[in-house]
Amino acid sequence: MSTEQYVERLLGEDADLARVHQTIQQLGMPEISIAAGYGRLLTMLVRMSGAKNVLEIGALGGYSGICLARGLSDGGRLTSLELLQNYADVARGSLEAAGLGDRVEYRVGDAKESLAVLAEEGRKFDFFFIDADKESYPLYLEWAIKLANPGAVITGDNALLHGRTVDPEKNGPSVLAMREFNASMVSDERLIGTLLPAYDGLAVAVVK
């Protein structure tokens, strides 16, 4: 049994999250939702930070959205950016089925354009979860810092890219972008950050 399997056995079955996995499989969507242990961590971090406004970049089927929304206190709000309308529709259905539909709004289209609109609107956020196209992670990080309230938490999934990030023989665009993102998360003077190496890696930072 791997350490990840041990953790997931302790966490047990979650009907809402299992439903998301089943829906994703049935619809032939990519099965790349955040791992169960890190999903629970997102819920904890949102709750611990007292975040009222959470921004998610990459909705997919709603798994991470459920985890994030569960951590919100009354009146909290999740804004989720998703490139594809059909994915946003699936994610919305997942949160509604989990009784969290009133806590989320979806913005569909290129996340870079949506982020620019949020900046124009003067929106600020207390928590960020990045899980979208890997080549854009460094740019998403800059946007997160720009849109962050002081003390906001920034998280980014797939920091290890299934081992490619740490393999010197791998130097594709996604790998290079993720290395830049990881380095910024732990060394940027505007942040206090670290990298968790379990599953496929999760980068976590706090905005000073």
Side-chain angles (χ1 to χ4, degrees):
M1 181 187 300
S2 69
T3 54
E4 288 86 355
Q5 290 171 326
Y6 172 74
V7 170
E8 291 175 8
R9 176 178 290 186
L10 289 176
L11 291 175
E13 184 75 5
D14 186 304
D16 293 325
L17 299 178
R19 187 186 306 112
V20 176
H21 279 312
Q22 184 178 26
T23 299
I24 286 174
Q25 285 183 331
Q26 291 175 343
L27 296 177
M29 296 168 64
E31 297 181 42
I32 53 174
S33 300
I34 191 169
Y38 282 157
R40 178 67 64 87
L41 179 60
L42 290 182
T43 301
M44 293 173 58
L45 289 174
V46 171
R47 180 65 59 87
M48 291 164 64
S49 66
K52 286 286 188 180
N53 293 291
V54 175
L55 181 64
E56 173 184 49
I57 305 177
L60 192 62
Y63 189 106
S64 57
I66 289 174
C67 296
L68 293 164
R70 282 176 171 174
L72 291 168
S73 56
D74 291 343
R77 191 74 174 167
L78 169 64
T79 300
S80 183
L81 310 184
E82 174 53 53
L83 177 64
L84 302 175
Q85 182 67 60
N86 58 324
Y87 284 12
D89 292 342
V90 172
R92 184 187 301 278
S94 295
L95 268 79
E96 289 175 350
L100 300 166
D102 61 337
R103 297 189 179 188
V104 62
E105 66 166 307
Y106 290 92
R107 300 206 178 192
V108 179
D110 189 317
K112 303 176 192 66
E113 297 177 5
S114 296
L115 289 162
V117 171
L118 290 171
E120 291 173 2
E121 294 174 354
R123 297 282 299 276
K124 292 289 185 177
F125 298 90
D126 309 304
F127 196 100
F128 301 83
F129 176 56
I130 303 170
D131 190 11
D133 58 301
K134 308 312 172 190
E135 292 181 36
S136 298
Y137 266 45
L139 180 58
Y140 293 150
L141 177 57
E142 286 301 317
W143 273 114
I145 295 172
K146 182 176 182 179
L147 295 172
N149 285 317
V153 177
I154 301 173
T155 57
D157 197 21
N158 305 119
L160 300 179
L161 292 179
H162 302 289
R164 287 183 289 150
T165 305
V166 299
D167 185 346
E169 300 298 319
K170 304 294 184 182
N171 292 288
S174 294
V175 173
L176 295 177
M178 190 57 72
R179 287 174 183 155
E180 179 183 347
F181 171 80
N182 290 341
S184 295
M185 287 286 279
V186 302
S187 63
D188 192 297
E189 294 182 352
R190 298 167 292 180
L191 306 172
I192 303 171
T194 190
L195 179 61
L196 306 180
Y199 293 104
D200 196 27
L202 185 74
V204 182
V206 176
V207 179
K208 293 181 180 177

